[in-house]
Amino acid sequence: MTNAVAAAPGPLLDVADLHVAFPVRRGIVFARQVGAISAVAGVSLHVHPGETLSVVGESGCGKSTLARAIMGLIKPTSGHIRLRSAELAVLSPAAMRPHRRTIQLVFQNPYACLNPRMTALENIAEPLRMLPLSRAERRERALRAMQQVQLLPEQADRYPFAFSGGQRQRIGIARALVVEPDIIILDEPVSALDVSVQAGVLNLLKDIQQRTGIAYIFIAHNLAVIRHMSDRVAVMYLGRIVETAARDDLYRSPAHPYTQALLSAAPIPDPVREQARQRIVLTGDVPNPADRPSGCGFRTRCFRASALCAVEDPPARELAPGHTVCCHHPS
Amino acid sequence: MSLPLLDIRGLAVTIPTRDGEQAAVSNVDFTIDRGEVVGLVGESGSGKSLSMLAVMGLLPRHLHVSGSIRFDGVEICGAPERQMRSLRGRRIAMVFQDPMTALNPVKTIGAQISEMIRLHNPKLGRAEVKERALALLESVAIPAPERRFDQYPHEFSGGMRQRVVIAIAIANDPELLIADEPTTALDVTIQAQIMEIFARLRAERGMAVVLITHDLGLVAGLADRMSVLYAGRVAERGPVGPVFTAPRHPYTAGLLAAVPSIDDVAERLYAIPGTPPSLGARPPGCAFAPRCDFAVPLCRMSEPALLRFGSAVVACHRAEELSLGDLPRKEA
């Protein structure tokens, strides 16, 4: 891709203390705000050019809200989103527009994210309408993007229904690639696909990254897929990042009890090891974000919780360079 | 060995379409013994759910089912609705994928469980029914069952709803539980809780469980034997250990190699090229041949028979000669 990787070693994207809260309203005529659900509650993360940062967490942890806030699709309540040197969190939609070319989003459901009345090529070329390009140039760039995702030029004029799930997801990826962004946010890009098709899409994403030096924020819940894709991993629980580390550090020595439970709950396709494994089975469900427990958000399900955890929210502490955890009792 | 609890022979399900009858499931054999857990693995459209819905007698009328389905020695394929109704919920029960739609939103959880108990035990008194319902909620690890009893489904989280669905399924101590993708809609930590419940039910009640899934990890954790379906037919069947360590069908081997590993990082995953054939577009010969790295001309001409190799049964012309230990990590 033409965008040169920034010469400075600074991060491409820097998110600091981001909060996104949704108001809870009661009443119809005299509607008033009675509370707020804080979906993202103080998230800081950064992404360097060409790297993959994965965000893992269960449903309702705020990972998709985080993605939408970074994309500027939801206005954050407070915090900073810096892309290179531009501050995105304060921009109006119009002022945001020039930056949209740098950052793109691929959605989870390849059946819902394409316009069924546009051909594959039209779907892919659509984001280019915001750039000053001629019709021929748009077509040429869209065809090039199709090629990048290994779709054939003769498939260009078919409509989405004629494609399988895996191929539709490739169209979705091509549509993100076509504006030559520096970073793509992939929100559960393979979880709707069959196992045999998943691998092809994952390989493709890795190839594109190697060829173009693009950065990814890879949002997923499958820990095996995340291990395969990431350079660094951030674990999210109830709107916060509870642990961040380089991939191998996280999988080798997870420090947060939630990370440990997630890793131990992920099924391994090997009967001997799977049946012999000691599991940490968490009790209960994720608390309602509108009614966050006092102190540490995880303490209600934590097997290491102490009296301190109910009183004080654990601050982030660095266990090793690049390995941060928010826990009073890390191990 | 005694009679298997469920014995399916030559099951076929055909769907009428504009282009004539299309076989969605053909010639499927499947057995499960009492207290056994068998994994039924395959991708969407492989016929795994259809075969089990046929067992339950829950397929829409216009689908044509043939073959033999024996439950505890009695033929139930094509059995009259009255006979099926006395089996369903009492001796065979099913848990579906989506707990959000499996429950009635306008009835309390307690009423829905009680309904199932009363249906098959009409003589039980009100207090006894409630007592059994509460015991069921407790056995699926729902905290504070007394309070939960009078709540509605919307007051439950997804994981909790799936527990209620399981509680309803096991209300009459069925001998066979068919679980169709029971944890696909749930989070990993909740999935672990549900799988624990299945393991316990089997240990405590000797319940046989058919686990329909695409997640090989779940099969590895719970099942004794497994069947791999591809395009409506059995590709490979055998005890879980040998099938995982030494798969004989290229599709099984491909599935295993396509799943990224949580404790080892491969640079590239093995990607099975292409996609499964759609209904009515089944290629001649072996249905997997167009996607198979090992296909020879014979594969495109004749359909391979299921043959026994050691402890497993495999439908592949080249099962004997192939060594599938290390699939190439190649381009999709």
Side-chain angles (χ1 to χ4, degrees):
Chain A
M1 219 148 278
T2 51
N3 300 306
V5 168
L12 174 63
L13 178 77
D14 188 9
V15 174
D17 198 27
L18 191 75
H19 287 257
V20 181
F22 298 108
V24 181
R25 291 199 177 86
R26 281 280 154 74
I28 296 162
V29 182
F30 300 102
R32 62 205 187 280
Q33 190 173 332
V34 293
I37 294 174
S38 97
V40 174
V43 164
S44 301
L45 56 82
H46 58 271
V47 183
H48 289 284
E51 79 165 347
T52 302
L53 170 73
S54 287
V55 179
V56 59
E58 298 182 282
S59 41
C61 74
K63 53 193 198 298
S64 293
T65 307
L66 175 67
R68 273 146 221 264
I70 296 174
M71 282 299 296
L73 300 175
I74 298 175
K75 200 103 204 118
T77 322
S78 65
H80 301 281
I81 303 167
R82 275 186 214 97
L83 187 63
R84 293 246 162 75
S85 53
E87 172 63 59
L88 303 187
V90 294
L91 294 183
S92 65
M96 177 74 192
R97 210 162 291 141
H99 298 286
R100 289 218 195 275
R101 203 185 62 82
T102 354
I103 184 158
Q104 285 287 313
L105 180 62
V106 172
F107 295 93
Q108 170 172 5
N109 187 342
Y111 294 89
C113 72
L114 301 176
N115 186 334
R117 301 178 62 170
M118 286 184 174
T119 64
L121 196 74
E122 285 165 355
N123 264 298
I124 295 169
E126 214 197 359
L128 292 175
R129 288 184 12 202
M130 67 181 182
L131 301 180
L133 294 173
S134 72
R135 190 179 269 263
E137 281 169 323
R138 286 211 295 264
R139 189 179 161 83
E140 192 202 320
R141 276 179 72 166
L143 279 169
R144 211 163 54 216
M146 268 189 92
Q147 203 182 356
Q148 275 187 304
V149 297
Q150 292 158 12
L151 290 171
L152 304 170
E154 54 263 36
Q155 295 172 313
D157 297 324
R158 290 191 202 155
Y159 287 87
F161 75 87
F163 292 90
S164 67
Q167 289 172 323
R168 282 184 218 208
Q169 199 52 294
R170 283 166 197 260
I171 298 176
I173 295 167
R175 189 167 59 173
L177 281 174
V178 77
V179 293
E180 304 184 346
D182 294 332
I183 181 165
I184 296 185
I185 304 179
L186 303 149
D187 190 358
E188 300 267 10
V190 294
S191 49
L193 304 178
D194 268 325
V195 198
S196 74
V197 177
Q198 237 182 49
V201 173
L202 293 176
N203 283 344
L204 174 75
L205 288 169
K206 280 199 134 182
D207 290 345
I208 292 170
Q209 184 168 53
Q210 265 169 17
R211 231 175 21 237
T212 63
I214 199 168
Y216 292 139
I217 295 182
F218 189 88
I219 298 177
H221 66 274
N222 183 327
L223 285 153
V225 169
I226 283 180
R227 174 151 211 183
H228 181 70
M229 293 301 293
S230 332
D231 296 309
R232 287 186 305 121
V233 182
V235 181
M236 228 175 145
Y237 188 81
L238 210 58
R240 303 216 174 151
I241 289 178
V242 295
E243 184 165 8
T244 323
R247 175 190 61 193
D248 291 341
D249 292 342
L250 189 98
Y251 283 79
R252 224 173 282 138
S253 44
H256 197 284
Y258 179 61
T259 315
Q260 293 167 355
L262 271 185
L263 284 170
S264 101
I268 301 176
D270 175 344
V272 180
R273 284 174 36 229
E274 181 67 11
Q275 294 184 1
R277 202 145 73 115
Q278 276 298 325
R279 273 227 157 86
I280 306 168
V281 176
L282 294 179
T283 50
D285 281 309
V286 183
N288 183 349
D291 185 21
R292 221 188 142 82
S294 66
C296 172
F298 184 59
R299 72 174 168 86
T300 52
R301 299 174 78 196
C302 184
F303 50 96
R304 283 211 295 267
S306 67
L308 175 64
C309 304
V311 184
E312 198 183 313
D313 196 3
R317 58 164 109 170
E318 193 159 35
L319 296 179
H323 191 162
T324 343
V325 64
C326 296
C327 179
H328 290 302
H329 314 288
S331 69
Chain B
M1 211 162 67
S2 62
L3 209 58
L5 179 63
L6 179 71
D7 190 353
I8 304 179
R9 294 283 162 90
L11 180 74
V13 179
T14 57
I15 303 178
T17 67
R18 269 182 299 179
D19 311 316
E21 294 271 320
Q22 302 291 355
V25 172
S26 50
N27 200 19
V28 165
D29 293 350
F30 181 91
T31 62
I32 183 166
D33 287 323
R34 287 176 190 279
E36 204 183 18
V37 178
V38 179
L40 196 52
V41 180
E43 297 179 275
S44 37
S46 62
K48 51 194 197 308
S49 297
L50 276 184
S51 334
M52 287 303 131
L53 285 171
V55 172
M56 294 291 288
L58 287 177
L59 287 177
R61 272 168 208 286
H62 65 279
L63 301 196
H64 184 241
V65 183
S66 61
S68 156
I69 303 171
R70 286 175 168 271
F71 179 73
D72 201 14
V74 180
E75 179 64 49
I76 57 169
C77 184
E81 183 57 23
R82 198 164 43 88
Q83 187 189 344
M84 288 313 294
R85 212 172 278 166
S86 74
L87 283 179
R88 272 198 303 255
R90 193 167 63 93
R91 302 188 65 190
I92 315 175
M94 191 155 178
V95 172
F96 295 92
Q97 172 174 353
D98 187 3
M100 308 297 160
T101 50
L103 294 170
N104 185 339
V106 298
K107 275 184 159 181
T108 64
I109 294 303
Q112 296 188 54
I113 300 178
S114 307
E115 181 187 14
M116 188 57 143
I117 300 171
R118 231 178 275 120
L119 199 62
H120 292 286
N121 308 277
K123 292 201 192 93
L124 276 188
R126 191 182 260 269
E128 281 166 295
V129 170
K130 177 155 187 182
E131 196 180 310
R132 275 179 68 172
L134 289 174
L136 281 168
L137 284 176
E138 211 170 306
S139 75
V140 292
I142 289 188
E146 286 276 358
R147 186 169 59 83
R148 289 301 207 170
F149 190 83
D150 293 316
Q151 289 185 336
Y152 289 88
H154 75 265
E155 295 171 88
F156 284 64
S157 67
M160 282 293 171
R161 281 185 228 190
Q162 194 61 300
R163 280 159 214 258
V164 173
V165 173
I166 295 172
I168 294 174
I170 64 168
N172 296 299
D173 242 328
E175 291 136 88
L176 177 65
L177 182 68
I178 300 172
D180 189 356
E181 303 264 8
T183 58
T184 309
L186 307 176
D187 282 319
V188 222
T189 57
I190 308 298
Q191 169 172 282
Q193 296 170 356
I194 300 285
M195 294 318 278
E196 212 179 47
I197 293 176
F198 283 135
R200 217 186 55 228
L201 287 175
R202 171 236 203 129
E204 287 172 5
R205 306 185 179 209
M207 199 178 284
V209 181
V210 179
L211 181 65
I212 303 179
T213 181
H214 62 267
D215 190 333
L216 292 161
L218 295 182
V219 173
L222 194 66
D224 307 303
R225 292 188 300 120
M226 65 194 279
S227 275
V228 181
L229 293 191
Y230 187 77
R233 288 172 206 222
V234 176
E236 182 160 9
R237 184 173 70 216
V240 162
V243 174
F244 271 89
T245 47
R248 289 212 167 250
H249 197 289
Y251 176 62
T252 318
L255 275 186
L256 285 166
V259 189
S261 161
I262 197 164
D263 43 22
D264 156 53
V265 191
E267 246 329 286
R268 292 190 69 75
L269 295 171
Y270 176 77
I272 303 177
T275 46
S278 55
L279 192 69
R282 196 176 209 288
C286 170
F288 187 61
R291 303 178 70 191
C292 184
D293 285 337
F294 305 96
V296 292
L298 173 68
C299 303
R300 296 179 208 280
M301 290 183 297
S302 87
E303 164 109 34
L306 269 173
L307 295 176
R308 179 160 285 282
F309 289 93
S311 53
V313 183
V314 186
C316 174
H317 287 304
R318 304 191 63 196
E320 203 165 9
E321 45 172 322
L322 288 179
S323 154
L324 301 168
D326 204 20
L327 284 167
R329 311 243 179 229
K330 55 159 223 159
E331 204 71 17

